[in-house]
Amino acid sequence: MRPLEYVAAAPKAELHLHFQGAIRPVTLLELARRHRVALPAEDLDGLRAWFQFRDFAHFVEVYAILRSCLVEPEDFELVTYELGSELAAQHVRYAEVTFTPGPEVYRGPRDTFFGGLTRGRELVRREFGVDLRWIFDIPRRTVGLYPDLPLADFITDTAIDGRNDGVVALGLAGTELGYPPEPFEPWFDRARAAGLHSAPHAGETAGPASVWGAIHALGAERLGHGVRAIEDPDLVAYLVEHRIALEVCPTSNVSLGVYPSLEEHPLPRLHAAGARVTINTDTPAIFGTTLNSEAALLATAFDLSPPAIDDILLNAFEASFLPPEERQALVAWARAELARERSLTA
């Protein structure tokens, strides 16, 4: 079996996958028509052109429109079901999916989105054998508010209430520049006290100071992106020592201009330094990528050895927020499956 075939067949977990950014373009068009949401394009070619980002602010704008197309419980159930189908086709057994409620969501009943997410999750587990868990994200800034206190309260309360329905962590997303993580400490303190994990975005569009802030103020156990930690050797050493995993999304980083090319991406250097690197898609429908194609970069663009590729694939299982016994069982299964797939290449 060739390296790319091996990577495609290998068992996978994904830890950095945005729900709204995983909506299939054809589904987005249908939802927009159903709910009379005006899109800048009315066909697939037009959507692809619209998704060619100018800058991070444009990305946030696109994301807000995606959110506005999700209105009814059935919308959330449909997108969850289609996401599970996509993941199963790529041999993904487990995924932690980030869901970011916008201001439009908390004005309505909680069940509008959470009921749909839950029913979709149950269908995905039953039909595809894929286990989905949720990370509820607080947006750093909404409509000029920083922080948006009512929205942050709503998301944190909903995340805590959803612990028995698959919610495993509280996250923090949105533009880092000018919006550091420290003001969100009270909400993360409350979530962590209730048993949720901490998984904020940091070290994507801002540098090491953002990562240090996420660690010290928010108790980050994993970092969304975190790649710009490479700019501070002391920070990299800290991440290695404390085993704080990085949810690395190479195509996203290049598409959004964090790095000019894959050749300049720090993933190989972070892995060589001992950081717990994982490979992820971020917003696959927007960037036109898949977890298989991101994992393939490990063998192609990054020219990593087979043992290094296996390490990175296993990192995602080991850094998951499952309860310890479930995580240990899943890691054991993944190791056995990787060994079986690797034996086919011998």
Side-chain angles (χ1 to χ4, degrees), residues 43-111:
D43 55 39
L44 292 177
D45 289 340
L47 278 183
R48 294 187 187 100
W50 179 47
F51 287 160
Q52 299 300 311
F53 300 111
R54 298 184 297 272
D55 50 34
F56 196 80
H58 180 222
F59 176 77
V60 173
E61 173 191 343
V62 170
Y63 210 77
I65 294 178
L66 289 173
R67 286 202 315 261
S68 70
C69 292
L70 296 165
V71 177
E72 300 171 343
E74 292 77 13
D75 303 339
F76 296 94
E77 182 178 342
L78 171 64
V79 173
T80 304
Y81 181 84
E82 292 184 344
L83 173 59
S85 174
E86 296 279 356
L87 293 173
Q90 299 173 72
H91 300 277
V92 176
R93 178 70 173 269
Y94 177 83
E96 292 176 6
V97 182
T98 294
F99 180 78
T100 307
E104 72 284 349
V105 169
Y106 79 91
R107 297 190 185 103
R110 172 183 181 272
D111 192 61

Side-chain angles (χ1 to χ4, degrees), residues 195-320:
L196 290 174
H197 295 275
S198 173
H201 285 55
E204 180 190 15
T205 56
S210 178
V211 178
W212 283 120
I215 291 170
H216 294 314
L218 309 185
E221 299 165 74
R222 280 200 331 247
L223 294 164
H225 300 285
V227 286
R228 292 190 57 188
I230 197 70
E231 299 167 19
D232 182 347
D234 290 339
L235 176 54
V236 173
Y238 186 94
L239 297 176
V240 173
E241 179 184 358
H242 294 273
R243 294 181 57 76
I244 297 173
L246 306 180
E247 303 161 4
V248 180
C249 311
T251 295
S252 168
N253 293 159
V254 173
S255 297
L256 294 177
V258 179
Y259 295 101
S261 67
L262 290 172
E263 288 73 21
E264 297 181 58
H265 196 282
L267 183 150
R269 287 180 287 151
L270 287 163
H271 178 262
R276 297 180 78 191
V277 171
T278 67
I279 194 78
N280 307 273
T281 59
D282 198 2
T283 54
I286 294 176
F287 295 130
T289 190
T290 65
L291 190 56
N292 276 354
S293 62
E294 296 298 300
L297 296 175
L298 301 174
T300 56
F302 300 129
D303 194 27
L304 296 179
S305 67
I309 293 171
D310 284 356
D311 283 346
I312 290 173
L313 294 179
L314 279 170
N315 280 344
F317 292 98
E318 293 174 342
S320 71

